[in-house]
Amino acid sequence: MATETFLPDNKPRCHWGFSDQMMLDYHDNEWGKPLYDSRALWEKLMLDGFQAGLSWRIILKKRAAFRLAFCSFEPQKVAQFTDEDIERLVGNADIIRSRSKINAVVKNARAYLAMQQAGEEFGEWIWAQVGGKPIQHIGPVPTKDALSERISKDLKKRGFTFVGPTIVYAWMEATGLINTHHPDCFRRAQVVGGA
């Protein structure tokens, strides 16, 4: 992921953070920043599910529409979606209109709430999987690993769908559970420091 490209601020970044201003802002301010809030973690996991087979840039462009369509990703509200709601979303051109992905979000809201009712807070649960602090990855970045495979299986046992190991790994990167910023990227040290 190394890059020799610099912006006027002269800061080295991961190679993908240069494609346009939207991706630059996402890279510099959001991606890889440790996220602890359960609802926000769940939202990111749902968006990573929608990204499957697509580019993250598409998801970012549609993120506001996703939030509107899915009630700001409030699991309590999404869990109550009916077949009529799903049909409405399948017809919503502002989001990704994949019936299987939309159904997964509704099912995953119910699984999230079931965890909560069983005394498992989603954020606490996922951070316990990495020992409570971000894993500092060095070297070639895989699309999945043994940890993402285990977490994927654990989520599926809890009733989640569309949470395969590749989706889970990308989610772990995005939410700072694992720091895969390139060693030369200025964000790597900031993420290590919790920023």
Side-chain angles (χ1 to χ4, degrees):
M1 285 211 309
T3 182
E4 298 301 318
T5 308
F6 295 86
L7 292 174
D9 64 10
N10 206 34
K11 292 179 179 176
R13 290 172 172 84
C14 298
H15 74 87
W16 61 266
F18 289 93
S19 58
D20 59 34
Q21 190 62 47
M22 182 177 64
M23 292 302 287
L24 179 75
D25 291 343
Y26 180 65
H27 172 272
D28 287 4
N29 301 306
E30 192 173 345
W31 188 78
K33 183 176 182 177
L35 188 59
Y36 297 95
D37 177 75
S38 292
R39 193 220 52 83
L41 282 160
W42 182 77
E43 174 184 340
K44 285 262 192 170
L45 182 58
M46 298 307 96
L47 290 173
D48 268 304
F50 272 108
Q51 185 211 347
L54 304 169
S55 77
W56 184 248
R57 189 175 188 285
I58 292 170
I59 303 304
L60 277 181
K61 284 179 77 172
K62 294 179 176 279
R63 183 161 58 172
F66 276 116
R67 286 176 172 163
L68 184 61
F70 287 97
C71 303
S72 299
F73 286 96
E74 290 293 340
Q76 295 82 356
K77 293 178 181 177
V78 177
Q80 296 175 26
F81 280 16
T82 64
D83 289 343
E84 288 178 356
D85 293 315
I86 291 167
E87 287 305 318
R88 177 179 45 79
L89 292 174
V90 169
N92 184 343
D94 294 333
I95 65 170
I96 306 300
R97 297 183 292 176
S98 163
R99 185 179 301 277
S100 60
K101 292 177 180 182
I102 291 166
N103 278 324
V105 174
V106 176
K107 186 171 184 180
N108 292 345
R110 295 171 184 158
Y112 174 98
L113 293 176
M115 283 180 71
Q116 199 173 59
Q117 290 163 2
E120 276 188 307
E121 193 60 39
F122 190 69
E124 292 174 10
W125 174 80
I126 190 57
W127 277 99
Q129 308 308 306
V130 296
K133 61 183 182 179
I135 295 169
Q136 302 304 315
H137 180 84
I138 297 176
V141 179
T143 57
K144 62 183 178 178
D145 66 2
L147 179 59
S148 73
E149 288 179 0
R150 181 173 56 76
I151 291 171
S152 172
K153 286 180 185 175
D154 286 352
L155 286 167
K156 288 174 183 176
K157 285 179 188 173
R158 287 168 169 78
F160 285 79
T161 61
F162 239 93
V163 289
T166 301
I167 289 170
V168 168
Y169 194 87
W171 172 60
M172 291 169 61
E173 290 180 284
T175 58
L177 290 154
I178 181 166
N179 185 0
T180 58
H181 277 286
H182 187 272
D184 295 335
C185 177
F186 84 99
R187 284 291 292 147
R188 185 175 184 89
Q190 289 179 345
V191 168
V192 170

